[in-house]
Amino acid sequence: MPSAMTASGPVDRDRLGPTLPHEHLFINLLRERRGDGLITDERLVTAEVGAFAELGGSTIVDLTSAELTIGAAPDPRSEAAGDTRDPENVLAVARVAKAAGLNVVLGTGHYRDPFLDRDWFDRHDPDQIAEQLVRDLTEGFPGTGIRAGIIGEIGADKWYISAAEERSFRAAARAHRATGAAIYTHAARWPIGLPQLDLLAAEDVAPERIAIGHCDLVEKPGYALEIARRGAYVGIDTIFTANPHEVRRRVALVVELARAGHLDQILLSHDVCVKSQLSAYGGTGYTFLWSAFRDALREAGIDDGEFERITVANPARLLCG
């Protein structure tokens, strides 16, 4: 039976259950979000993800890349080298997973500009960077004994892929070829997911092992369909608002993809990454997808069997191959 690597070890594919494939537990986004871009409260995070578990949720994929983990722990005592996740962050995620009774899959890789250390990238070629990702996936994050289970999220900040970002993508592709781990990208606002697919294809990554993230944030008509037609997973994964217009827009995108024959390529998640998105601070937290958004999908004609395929089968296939 194929399995996914989690913070507590391998979990068989048929035991992953309802899954949120693009989330963050502890994260440091202060470079861009000075007001609420730091989540470090372990008790609060345990309660927030515990609410998902109480609804029947089973697995969360934590796509917090290396640069987003430095200082993102309840007690950040370590000095991360910059080439991987801060070990204190990894250990905190593992404690939350155990306390909440959830499987948590941890991502490895590098985020996007302006978070990337340009000097560090200038001194490392894609093969050197790939070696570090392979280490995280096969041996574990240094100082933790906990292995990554996916590559991501890796991304592009703008409508083009910068030189440092290109090295990150090539490294991710080469780590994928060495391990089989799936790749999950950050591709917000502009249709940059298509060039990302081109770059990964040039590095011999099959599209069915790629998830293009944040397709619901790109307003170009037909963009998500084109991603799906190329064979990749479509991340409708910023479902963090109850705004009626935003809910209707995302529901319509799900329906469009499903009725075009791409139900098995849809990934749904919240991308909780700032305090204001937590339920304790008035946000929708980690449960909105399984409550109001699910109801909206039902009203639009997505039945419970289709919802289960999207939220159980699709993430399991991405994680396990």
Side-chain angles (χ1 to χ4, degrees):
M1 170 71 68
S3 62
M5 182 54 61
T6 76
S8 57
V11 173
D12 287 346
R13 176 173 172 166
D14 63 359
R15 293 181 51 233
L16 292 173
T19 298
L20 293 171
H22 190 139
E23 304 292 346
H24 305 275
L25 274 63
F26 302 98
I27 187 169
N28 183 355
L29 277 170
L30 290 178
R31 181 181 290 271
E32 291 181 334
R33 298 290 294 266
R34 294 300 301 174
D36 65 348
L38 181 65
I39 300 177
T40 60
D41 187 328
E42 190 165 324
R43 288 186 180 181
L44 176 60
V45 171
T46 302
E48 294 276 338
V49 299
F52 168 60
E54 289 172 6
L55 289 178
S58 187
T59 300
I60 291 178
V61 182
D62 183 311
L63 293 178
T64 314
S65 314
E67 295 77 15
L68 300 180
T69 67
I70 300 172
D75 184 13
R77 292 166 293 176
S78 63
E79 290 293 332
D83 62 343
T84 190
R85 292 178 73 130
D86 187 325
E88 297 295 337
N89 175 273
V90 173
L91 295 172
V93 169
R95 290 193 299 269
V96 169
K98 182 177 181 180
L102 287 164
N103 307 310
V104 178
V105 177
L106 289 95
T108 184
H110 297 277
Y111 189 37
R112 59 167 172 82
D113 288 330
F115 290 85
L116 301 181
D117 182 337
R118 290 298 188 94
D119 180 66
W120 188 87
F121 271 87
D122 284 346
R123 290 182 287 109
H124 294 80
D125 64 32
D127 286 333
Q128 291 173 312
I129 300 169
E131 288 176 2
Q132 295 161 338
L133 305 187
V134 171
R135 174 203 60 202
D136 293 345
L137 289 157
T138 60
E139 301 174 17
F141 298 103
T144 71
I146 296 170
R147 290 164 58 186
I150 192 169
I151 301 168
E153 68 185 292
I154 61 169
D157 184 50
K158 293 185 170 64
W159 54 92
Y160 56 86
I161 300 172
S162 74
E165 291 166 347
E166 179 182 349
R167 287 191 177 193
S168 172
F169 270 80
R170 293 193 185 279
R174 295 171 195 184
H176 157 78
R177 295 205 309 267
T179 65
I183 298 172
Y184 207 124
T185 81
H186 170 102
R189 302 179 187 86
W190 299 282
I192 189 62
L194 294 170
Q196 290 178 353
L197 282 176
D198 291 339
L199 177 53
L200 292 171
E203 289 279 347
D204 297 323
V205 183
E208 61 267 23
R209 302 301 295 137
I210 304 167
I212 300 297
H214 311 327
C215 293
D216 48 330
L217 293 179
V218 179
E219 297 180 356
K220 180 181 178 180
Y223 168 70
L225 276 174
E226 180 60 22
I227 295 292
R229 291 186 184 116
R230 294 274 297 269
Y233 288 89
V234 176
I236 303 174
D237 50 17
T238 62
I239 307 173
F240 52 66
T241 174
N243 177 283
H245 170 72
E246 293 295 332
V247 170
R248 285 193 299 270
R249 195 169 62 79
R250 286 169 172 80
V251 166
L253 188 53
V254 173
V255 172
E256 178 184 34
L257 288 163
R259 300 308 172 235
H262 300 293
L263 183 77
D264 293 334
Q265 292 164 262
I266 301 170
L267 297 173
L268 300 179
S269 211
H270 306 100
D271 191 23
V272 172
C273 58
V274 292
K275 279 186 176 179
S276 57
Q277 292 166 350
L278 298 172
S279 61
Y281 289 87
T284 53
Y286 297 90
T287 62
F288 186 67
L289 175 55
W290 260 266
S291 53
F293 194 81
R294 183 177 190 175
D295 292 341
L297 287 175
R298 283 173 174 150
E299 291 178 7
I302 299 295
D303 63 37
D304 288 349
E306 291 174 313
F307 183 79
E308 183 173 346
R309 281 169 64 183
I310 294 171
T311 58
V312 177
N314 292 359
R317 192 185 318 108
L318 174 72
L319 292 168
C320 301

